[in-house]
Amino acid sequence: MWDYSDKVKEHFFQPRNAGPLADANAVGDVGSISCGDALRLMLKVDPETETIEEAHFQTFGCGSAIASSSALTEIVKGMKLDDALKVSNQDIADYLDGLPPEKMHCSVMGREALQAAIANYRGEEWSDDHEEGALICKCFAIDAVLIEDTVRANNLSTMEDVINYTKAGGGCASCHEGIEEILAKVLAERGETFKAVPVKLDKEAPKPGKLTNLERIRRIEAVLESVRPQLQRDHGDIELVDVDGKTVYVSMTGACAGCQMEALTLQGIQTKLMEELGELIKLVPTRAGSLARATSQP
Amino acid sequence: MEGIYLDNNATTRVDPAVVEAMLPYFTEQFGNPSSLHSFGNKVGLAVKKARMQVQELLGAEHESEIIFTSCGTESDSTAILSALKANPERREIITTVLEHPAILSLYSQLEKEGYTAHYLKVDGKGRVDMDEYKRLLSDKVAVVSVMWANNETGSFFPVLEMAELANAAGVMFHTDAVQAVGKVPIDLKNSKIDMLSLSGHKLHAPKGIGVLYLKRGVRFRPLLRGGHQERGRRAGTENTASIVALGKACEMALAAMEHENTEVRRLRDKLEAGILAKVPHAFVTGDASNRLPNTSNIAFEYIEGEAILLLLNKFGIAASSGSACTSGSLEPSHVMRAMGIPYTAAHGTTRFSLSRYTTEEEIDRVIQVVPEIVAQLRKLSPYWGENGPSAEPEKDFAPVYA
């Protein structure tokens, strides 16, 4: 059985705000392909202030799906819509004192329901922004699609590359067979053969502040590389402009520039950067003016 | 609290008499059965007795047809890989889509290594198409592996008939009988089954002991080579205490066979009828008229299995589910998908598996609790209205899948 936190169990056994909401004016219906769970989020939004007054849910799903839905309704109640859009799946998981890696997609489903409900309120069309594959790395919750896309986009050829670019395989190492199969497949596509090279696994996680400038920039670039396939799928891209202390300047190009999801995308990347570098990072998009300022830095 | 254990297809409690039989083999009877001295000799005799007890339960012709292994999975792998090594020119293998991962994962690995695997499809009740099977049998096939009874639904495959057909076509036949042994009478000497796997912990013996039955004369290549144990067919020092335990458990299973097929079956039928009478939009999966006496698998529509199990657990009731979230892998039950059970029902399939220890009071309690739990979860379900499924469940709630 899963190792659920007490908070997850509590929200499962006594779900908050469960059941239909009669006068809802924002409804989001989404499901997760990876497990078949689905959720309807119903919000009552005050049109004057764009504040969420009531939030209810109905969920067809497992214990953590029900708990994530319950947590989501508690988090967003009283929020302005624009603030609610910033709620990440990590926020939902954190609210529940964490979820098992296999169950993180339950919190993703919650975030998507929220985005779908707000889009519904605003009369917009919502479509999902990611594709989920079979979970390969259980230590860092990384799926096959992400690994395959990253290997392809960056011409990776070794296990160590995959670990550096995606983190997948960097923990207990028991998923290496699965990763090697992906490598072999993609390498075969480009007419190469996969050769196993011994991998040195870090005994310890990187200590914050101990990285050299070069290492920091390499890691930042690796994170950007790892998200690039997703952005490119949406016909956008991201470039590293400069790194100044804790501030990382990037330029969003193509469809990403000015996209209404830009803030959310950047926030996701910022979280990834912080995880990877083990320090606080501020990710700043550069526009025409700020770009000049950023590039004029020494 | 004692708890109500209805998950005997997952594993069973070791019978106290079995524990008693095995304990001396940790202490005073510690000898190596291969040793010549009296320390070993007595243990050797105990292993021989256990082998005969297994032989009797399986209806095997010779005791030497019984090979002790460490588990059902080892028996399965040994059997399949042996058949391949013994028939290197044959590059096709046959099984069914409903097999246990112990077979399916192995087959998928063998496909990567160049074998052609045929997976027999099933109908809505989990039955194979015998014509398709007959068409596939040829001198290119190295081995057929078909489970005796399915672990999720309890439904039987016609393994005796399938073994006859394989034999007539000159193809080796293996059956994973892990769920069937001890629950239904088996008479291998009058069958054409070449190899059979069983696992001790499914019949009140401990975990970590299994058996591969190998019909005399069937060509064999060991998986583990080394010492002369098990006549050189499975090297490695014998797990003597567990072998003795399995022998005892087999003897007891044979004695309880009548009870299993009358009393346990009666309680299972009562449980099923009791739940279905009180819970609407629920149905039995698999082939209800042709299955193990102890297993009932019920699909509760519009709710999810893990949620059902968590609530049952709160009432001290242990069951199991075919839902995606309970497998530890997020893969929804391949058994339910293969039988074409609709999505909204497959997710809520719940397996109750009884044993000879299950009591009438326990069954009454479960019949009382399950309808409440189902009703509670349906209140949370977007497919469910006030008092029943919404008018058109699949239309009224059609989420965007990501």
Side-chain angles (χ1 to χ4, degrees), chain A residues 94-159:
Chain A
D94 289 347
Y95 186 91
L96 292 168
D97 295 337
L99 286 169
E102 291 91 338
K103 297 289 197 160
M104 280 304 282
H105 67 270
C106 292
S107 62
V108 173
M109 189 169 77
R111 181 187 61 106
E112 289 176 343
L114 180 59
Q115 290 173 355
I118 294 175
N120 169 260
Y121 173 80
R122 291 179 168 166
E124 295 161 358
E125 190 83 12
W126 177 82
S127 63
D128 86 276
D129 56 353
H130 77 289
E131 193 187 339
E132 245 179 84
L135 189 64
I136 298 281
C137 169
K138 293 190 178 174
C139 295
F140 300 116
I142 314 230
D143 66 56
V145 171
L146 181 70
I147 297 172
E148 194 174 322
D149 287 352
T150 311
V151 168
R152 197 168 278 132
N154 301 287
N155 269 317
L156 306 186
S157 55
T158 67
M159 179 67 62

Side-chain angles (χ1 to χ4, degrees), chain A residues 2 31 35-36 40 59 63 103, chain B residues 112 306 325 343 347 380 396 400:
Chain A
W2 305 102
C35 69
R40 167 174 287 170
T59 294
K103 297 289 197 160
Chain B
K112 288 177 195 161
E306 188 202 90
C325 283
Y343 209 57
H347 240 38
L380 294 180
D396 294 344
V400 178

Side-chain angles (χ1 to χ4, degrees), chain A residues 2 10 13 29 48 73 122 135 141 143 155 179 201-202 268 294:
Chain A
W2 305 102
E10 193 212 322
F13 287 122
D29 291 352
E48 292 288 306
T73 56
R122 291 179 168 166
L135 189 64
D143 66 56
N155 269 317
I179 296 176
L201 292 173
D202 284 345

Side-chain angles (χ1 to χ4, degrees), chain B residues 55-62 65 148 160 164 186-194 196 213 215-216:
Chain B
Q55 177 200 354
E56 199 176 352
L57 179 65
L58 297 182
E61 195 167 2
H62 310 281
E65 293 173 327
W148 196 300
L160 296 174
E164 296 275 351
I186 291 179
D187 183 26
L188 289 173
K189 60 183 170 300
N190 290 312
S191 83
K192 290 284 192 280
I193 291 169
D194 295 312
L196 172 147
Y213 159 85
K215 192 180 275 297
R216 182 173 286 185

Side-chain angles (χ1 to χ4, degrees), chain B residues 203-389:
Chain B
L203 59 144
H204 307 286
K207 293 150 189 69
I209 183 73
V211 160
L212 174 63
Y213 159 85
L214 177 71
K215 192 180 275 297
R216 182 173 286 185
V218 171
R219 293 170 64 228
F220 183 75
R221 301 289 179 270
L223 183 67
L224 300 184
R225 290 179 190 267
H228 55 84
Q229 295 90 351
E230 305 299 292
R231 297 170 190 257
R233 295 168 302 177
R234 200 283 191 182
T237 302
E238 298 88 339
N239 181 359
T240 50
S242 291
I243 288 173
V244 169
L246 177 59
K248 181 71 185 169
C250 285
E251 181 193 306
M252 294 178 77
L254 195 56
M257 192 62 76
E258 175 75 16
H259 178 88
E260 189 82 28
N261 286 279
T262 52
E263 184 61 9
V264 175
R265 179 188 298 272
R266 184 184 69 79
L267 288 176
R268 188 273 313 270
D269 290 344
K270 177 180 180 181
L271 172 75
E272 204 165 79
I275 290 175
L276 292 179
K278 287 206 242 170
V279 181
H281 300 279
F283 60 90
V284 173
T285 69
D287 191 355
S289 60
N290 183 33
R291 58 181 164 156
L292 294 170
N294 79 318
T295 309
S296 172
N297 190 305
I298 303 178
F300 298 104
E301 293 185 81
Y302 311 115
I303 53 175
E304 198 273 347
E306 188 202 90
I308 299 171
L309 296 191
L310 289 171
L311 286 174
L312 280 173
N313 189 46
K314 233 183 142 190
F315 288 93
I317 300 167
S320 170
S321 168
S323 107
C325 283
T326 54
S327 60
S329 70
L330 295 185
E331 279 291 304
S333 157
H334 67 284
V335 174
M336 297 303 152
R337 278 185 302 166
M339 296 194 299
I341 304 292
Y343 209 57
T344 45
H347 240 38
T349 52
T350 305
R351 178 187 71 191
F352 302 95
S353 46
L354 288 63
S355 78
R356 57 178 186 257
Y357 301 105
T358 307
T359 65
E360 189 101 34
E361 295 73 42
E362 290 177 330
I363 293 302
D364 289 339
R365 174 83 178 129
V366 178
I367 292 173
Q368 185 196 345
V369 166
V370 167
E372 295 168 22
I373 288 176
V374 172
Q376 185 183 337
L377 285 171
R378 280 180 174 164
K379 274 192 200 149
L380 294 180
S381 171
Y383 294 107
W384 199 256
E386 281 288 303
N387 293 305

Side-chain angles (χ1 to χ4, degrees), chain A residues 30-288:
Chain A
V30 299
S32 163
I33 277 180
S34 68
C35 69
D37 288 357
L39 143 71
R40 167 174 287 170
L41 179 69
M42 293 150 283
L43 307 176
K44 192 181 153 202
V45 181
D46 178 356
E48 292 288 306
T49 59
E50 288 218 321
T51 304
I52 298 171
E53 290 180 329
E54 287 279 355
H56 272 224
F57 77 91
Q58 284 178 294
T59 294
F60 171 71
C62 62
S64 57
I66 289 172
S68 293
S69 311
S70 166
L72 171 68
T73 56
E74 288 289 283
I75 292 171
V76 300
K77 254 198 290 183
M79 271 190 175
K80 297 247 188 227
L81 288 188
D82 286 337
D83 294 328
L85 275 176
K86 290 181 197 145
V87 172
S88 69
N89 71 300
Q90 193 62 49
D91 292 335
I92 299 171
D94 289 347
Y95 186 91
L96 292 168
D97 295 337
L99 286 169
E102 291 91 338
K103 297 289 197 160
M104 280 304 282
H105 67 270
C106 292
S107 62
V108 173
M109 189 169 77
R111 181 187 61 106
E112 289 176 343
L114 180 59
Q115 290 173 355
I118 294 175
N120 169 260
Y121 173 80
R122 291 179 168 166
E124 295 161 358
E125 190 83 12
W126 177 82
S127 63
D128 86 276
D129 56 353
H130 77 289
E131 193 187 339
E132 245 179 84
L135 189 64
I136 298 281
C137 169
K138 293 190 178 174
C139 295
F140 300 116
I142 314 230
D143 66 56
V145 171
L146 181 70
I147 297 172
E148 194 174 322
D149 287 352
T150 311
V151 168
R152 197 168 278 132
N154 301 287
N155 269 317
L156 306 186
S157 55
T158 67
M159 179 67 62
E160 208 152 331
D161 289 344
V162 173
I163 296 171
N164 289 337
Y165 276 72
T166 66
K167 271 169 96 173
C172 73
S174 47
C175 63
H176 283 199
E177 184 183 0
I179 296 176
E180 283 190 14
E181 279 175 13
I182 295 174
L183 279 166
K185 179 183 145 198
V186 179
L187 279 153
E189 281 168 17
R190 35 180 225 248
E192 296 170 42
T193 333
F194 169 72
K195 278 191 224 84
V197 185
V199 184
K200 270 186 241 149
L201 292 173
D202 284 345
K203 284 266 162 32
E204 293 167 51
K207 288 193 184 67
K210 288 265 173 86
L211 299 174
T212 67
N213 273 334
L214 190 64
E215 282 173 328
R216 280 183 82 226
I217 289 174
R218 275 197 187 135
R219 282 181 191 228
I220 292 168
E221 286 190 352
V223 170
L224 298 185
E225 284 302 330
S226 74
V227 299
R228 200 183 303 286
Q230 284 153 288
L231 298 177
Q232 286 174 341
R233 209 160 31 205
D234 293 334
H235 309 289
D237 211 335
I238 189 167
E239 294 300 333
L240 179 62
V241 174
D242 200 0
V243 181
D244 183 16
K246 303 268 180 213
T247 311
V248 175
Y249 294 95
V250 293
S251 128
M252 303 289 275
T253 57
C256 288
C259 164
Q260 55 183 346
M261 301 292 282
E262 188 185 326
L264 210 69
T265 309
L266 286 171
Q267 201 189 14
I269 301 172
Q270 180 173 298
T271 311
K272 270 195 167 173
L273 284 169
M274 287 196 271
E275 277 171 12
E276 192 57 39
L277 274 75
E279 54 179 303
L280 273 173
I281 290 290
K282 195 173 173 209
L283 188 62
V284 178
T286 55
R287 301 268 183 269

